[in-house]
């Protein structure tokens, strides 16, 4: 009898191990190879799949190799920011894929095809169960379907032109405070070197605080800014670990730090949200910002918006809004520093229109040269939509895709089919 029971137990354990082995083999070998075969059949090229890591080790190696040497002053930065992508583009052409773990990301350079993909969000969806995406972005940026539609409808009024115009005085005030700080630092010197990342990030953080939650920067906001940097640092450390199953549950120091930091950020955002909610319950008016719009929806029981939804949207817009605003501004200042003749032309126009007055909405609409500079510096923005990196989780129906936007110098900037012959000469 005992021998029979032992035999059954051993058989069950062996069956469980066998099923688990088959599942992992399918996940880490058979399924990726099947995807690779399908991708090649539809015209994409790329490196053969390598188990677990894919191309990630080559990506890290090439990036380390490129960044190990100082970079000459140049506004042609693709080779340094995305060296492996550029390598694949040159090796395989415009239709290639790159392996990140078991998942291929497809390079789509055809604007018509990209437009078609982005117009079908129910078929080409964001990845599910993306813990890193939830921590780094979350909210509207990661939601799908009815949740995305509902939140977008609630938030849209916060971005109407009349609301944007109301933000201008706060933005001008923050910028003038930063400029005054620079002037004071320069008072006793002929010149000085400024780390723009360290200067612009807090500036945009202040502006985002005033526009997202419509109030002066608080202790919670300052702490969130520090924690955001911690999250970014931990995300970089965890990038190699994300290819392993269940990595979010691993008891490593990096994962624990990431979880603790995310939890602390959630607590700080909740304090800001609940404080505003109490003000609104006591009769405070809608300030027209994102937080007020979400809280109004929360108080409307028919909207189906929970307090957690409000917290998540407030956090995600504060984080993503700061990143996506600060980086283009830093790049613009860098390019203007390289081309002082354009800087001088912009300065003359600003002084001509505003004189000693503070910038205002009416005057901003008259800045032709400044507008031209912004267009030239961000000239690739019209084309960057067609250089979306699409991450295919599966190449058969239903198809799931993750959408990534390449930086300012998207690959279409290297593609003569997407710009005129004098494109490079038209930049400042």
């Amino acid at each position: 009898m005992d021998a029979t029971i032992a035999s059954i137990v051993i058989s069950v354990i062996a069956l469980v191990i066998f099923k688990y082995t088959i599942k992992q083999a399918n996940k880490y070998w058979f399924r990726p190879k099947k995807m690779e075969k399908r991708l090649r059949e539809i015209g994409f090229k790329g490196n053969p799949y390598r188990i677990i890591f894919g191309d990630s080790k080559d990506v890290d190696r090439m990036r380390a190799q490129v960044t190990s040497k100082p970079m000459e002053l140049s506004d042609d930065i693709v080779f340094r920011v995305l060296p492996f992508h550029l390598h694949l583009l040159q090796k395989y052409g415009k239709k290639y894929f790159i392996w990140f773990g078991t998942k291929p990301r497809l390079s789509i350079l055809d604007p018509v095809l990209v437009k078609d993909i982005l117009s079908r969000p129910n078929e080409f969806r964001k990845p599910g169960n993306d813990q890193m995406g939830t921590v780094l972005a979350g909210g509207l940026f990661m939601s799908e379907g009815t949740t995305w539609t509902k939140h977008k409808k609630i938030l849209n009024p916060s971005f109407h032109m009349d609301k944007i115009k109301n933000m201008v005085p706060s933005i001008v005030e923050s910028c003038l405070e930063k400029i005054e700080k620079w002037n004071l630092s320069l008072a006793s010197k002929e010149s000085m070197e400024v780390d723009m990342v360290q200067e612009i990030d807090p500036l945009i953080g202040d502006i985002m605080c005033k526009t997202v939650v419509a109030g002066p920067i608080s202790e919670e906001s300052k702490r969130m800014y520090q924690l955001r940097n911690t999250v970014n640092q931990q995300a970089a450390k965890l990038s190699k670990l994300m290819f392993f199953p269940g990595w979010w549950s691993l008891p490593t120091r990096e994962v624990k730090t990431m979880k603790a930091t995310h939890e602390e950020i959630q607590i700080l955002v909740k304090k800001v949200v609940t404080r505003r909610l109490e003000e609104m319950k006591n009769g405070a008016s809608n300030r027209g910002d994102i937080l007020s719009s979400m809280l109004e929806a929360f108080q409307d029981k028919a909207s189906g918006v929970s307090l957690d939804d409000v917290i998540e949207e407030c956090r995600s817009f504060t984080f993503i809004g700061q990143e996506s605003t600060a980086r283009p501004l830093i790049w613009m200042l860098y390019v203007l520093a390289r081309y002082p003749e354009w800087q001088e032309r912009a300065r003359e126009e600003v002084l001509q229109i505003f004189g000693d007055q503070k910038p205002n909405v009416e005057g901003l609409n008259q800045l032709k040269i400044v507008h031209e500079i912004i267009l030239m510096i961000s000239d690739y923005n019209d084309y960057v939509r067609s250089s979306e990196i699409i991450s295919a989780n599966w190449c058969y129906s239903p198809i799931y895709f993750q959408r990534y936007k390449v930086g300012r110098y998207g690959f279409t900037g290297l593609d003569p089919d997407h710009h005129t012959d004098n494109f490079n000469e038209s930049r400042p």
Side-chain angles (χ1 to χ4, degrees):
M1 185 69 177
D2 292 341
T4 303
I5 294 175
S7 178
I8 293 173
V9 171
I10 292 172
S11 298
V12 170
I13 294 174
L15 181 61
V16 170
I17 294 174
F18 177 73
K19 290 183 68 175
Y20 179 79
T21 303
I22 293 296
K23 181 179 179 181
Q24 296 305 310
N26 181 61
K27 179 178 180 179
Y28 288 102
W29 183 255
F30 294 112
R31 188 167 178 263
K33 293 300 290 184
K34 193 175 181 180
M35 281 194 287
E36 180 183 344
K37 180 182 178 182
R38 177 59 177 154
L39 287 172
R40 296 190 188 280
E41 287 175 353
I42 61 177
F44 284 87
K45 299 177 181 179
N47 294 332
Y49 170 71
R50 285 167 287 182
I51 193 166
I52 298 180
F53 294 102
D55 291 322
S56 60
K57 289 186 176 181
D58 290 341
V59 172
D60 292 338
R61 176 184 55 77
M62 191 170 289
R63 184 182 293 122
Q65 182 180 356
V66 170
T67 56
S68 65
K69 303 174 184 178
M71 176 183 173
E72 295 182 2
L73 286 178
S74 171
D75 47 353
D76 185 11
I77 60 171
V78 179
F79 77 94
R80 190 174 182 90
V81 178
L82 298 168
F84 194 72
H85 293 76
L86 181 59
H87 165 71
L88 292 183
L89 177 65
Q90 295 169 343
K91 183 177 180 180
Y92 295 116
K94 299 178 185 179
K95 294 180 66 175
Y96 69 87
F97 56 85
I98 177 173
W99 289 99
F100 279 86
T102 60
K103 298 177 182 179
R105 293 182 184 174
L106 313 186
S107 172
I108 309 294
L109 295 181
D110 181 357
V112 176
L113 182 56
V114 170
K115 183 178 180 180
D116 181 49
I117 290 171
L118 297 181
S119 66
R120 295 153 62 187
N122 291 329
E123 297 175 57
F124 301 94
R125 302 175 67 86
K126 302 169 188 175
N129 300 320
D130 185 355
Q131 292 93 347
M132 186 64 76
T134 301
V135 171
L136 293 177
L140 192 68
F141 303 95
M142 295 299 295
S143 60
E144 289 277 19
T146 56
T147 301
W148 181 87
T149 303
K150 178 174 61 179
H151 287 199
K152 184 174 182 290
K153 184 178 180 180
I154 294 169
L155 293 168
N156 261 347
S158 300
F159 297 95
H160 288 170
M161 187 51 64
D162 57 331
K163 300 290 178 65
I164 300 296
K165 289 180 179 179
N166 291 336
M167 297 177 185
V168 170
S170 297
I171 296 172
V172 169
E173 179 186 354
S174 296
C175 292
L176 290 178
E177 288 175 359
K178 178 62 67 174
I179 293 172
E180 181 62 25
K181 177 183 175 182
W182 289 344
N183 287 335
L184 291 174
S185 300
L186 190 60
S188 58
K189 307 173 186 176
E190 291 185 1
S191 65
M192 67 175 185
E193 184 176 298
V194 177
D195 185 340
M196 297 309 297
V197 173
Q198 300 301 321
E199 296 290 334
I200 298 300
D201 272 0
L203 169 63
I204 301 302
D206 181 38
I207 291 173
M208 291 300 299
C209 184
K210 292 176 180 177
T211 54
V212 174
V213 299
I217 192 164
S218 61
E219 290 302 318
E220 289 91 352
S221 301
K222 292 178 180 177
R223 178 58 180 160
M224 278 191 284
Y225 170 74
Q226 296 172 348
L227 294 174
R228 182 182 66 85
N229 292 334
T230 302
V231 167
N232 289 342
Q233 292 168 4
Q234 293 304 121
K237 294 177 181 178
L238 288 169
S239 60
K240 298 178 182 178
L241 198 62
M242 292 168 57
F243 304 119
F244 293 96
W247 69 272
W248 187 247
S249 302
L250 295 176
T252 65
R253 179 169 33 174
E254 289 79 11
V255 173
K256 289 180 179 178
T257 301
M258 176 71 89
K259 288 182 176 179
T261 304
H262 180 59
E263 184 176 348
E264 184 177 352
I265 290 171
Q266 293 289 88
I267 293 171
L268 291 171
V269 176
K270 187 175 182 178
K271 285 183 180 179
V272 175
V273 170
T274 52
R275 184 164 60 233
R276 173 69 68 80
L277 181 60
E278 289 300 317
E279 292 174 2
M280 293 179 69
K281 287 181 178 179
N282 293 330
S285 59
N286 186 333
R287 302 181 188 178
D289 58 343
I290 291 174
L291 180 53
S292 293
S293 299
M294 289 298 295
L295 284 174
E296 275 197 344
F298 167 67
Q299 294 181 83
D300 179 7
K301 301 301 181 183
S303 69
V305 174
S306 67
L307 188 62
D308 287 339
D309 291 334
V310 179
I311 293 170
E312 186 66 7
E313 294 297 352
C314 187
R315 181 189 68 86
S316 64
F317 268 92
T318 302
F319 274 30
I320 300 300
Q322 183 169 348
E323 291 277 357
S324 60
T325 306
R327 295 302 169 259
L329 179 56
I330 292 169
W331 178 255
M332 190 174 300
L333 292 172
Y334 163 75
V335 175
L336 284 174
R338 290 202 64 229
Y339 299 94
E341 64 276 14
W342 281 92
Q343 186 181 151
E344 188 59 33
R345 289 179 64 185
R347 184 178 293 107
E348 290 176 0
E349 182 183 54
V350 170
L351 292 175
Q352 179 183 351
I353 292 176
F354 295 112
D356 295 331
Q357 298 179 349
K358 293 182 179 180
N360 52 67
V361 175
E362 293 73 20
L364 290 174
N365 291 330
Q366 302 175 39
L367 295 175
K368 306 299 182 184
I369 294 176
V370 171
H371 182 65
E372 182 182 353
I373 290 172
I374 293 173
L375 286 179
M376 285 193 289
I377 290 178
S378 59
D379 217 344
Y380 286 100
N381 284 352
D382 289 338
Y383 306 110
V384 91
R385 297 186 185 92
S386 62
S387 60
E388 298 280 338
I389 298 299
I390 311 296
S391 171
N393 291 337
W394 192 230
C395 296
Y396 299 88
S397 183
I399 306 178
Y400 296 90
F401 281 76
Q402 180 177 1
R403 285 155 283 181
Y404 288 89
K405 182 169 286 187
V406 178
R408 171 189 173 270
Y409 276 83
F411 302 124
T412 49
L414 304 178
D415 185 358
D417 293 342
H418 293 152
H419 56 73
T420 59
D421 292 338
N422 63 345
F423 182 77
N424 287 329
E425 287 74 16
S426 70
R427 297 203 308 262

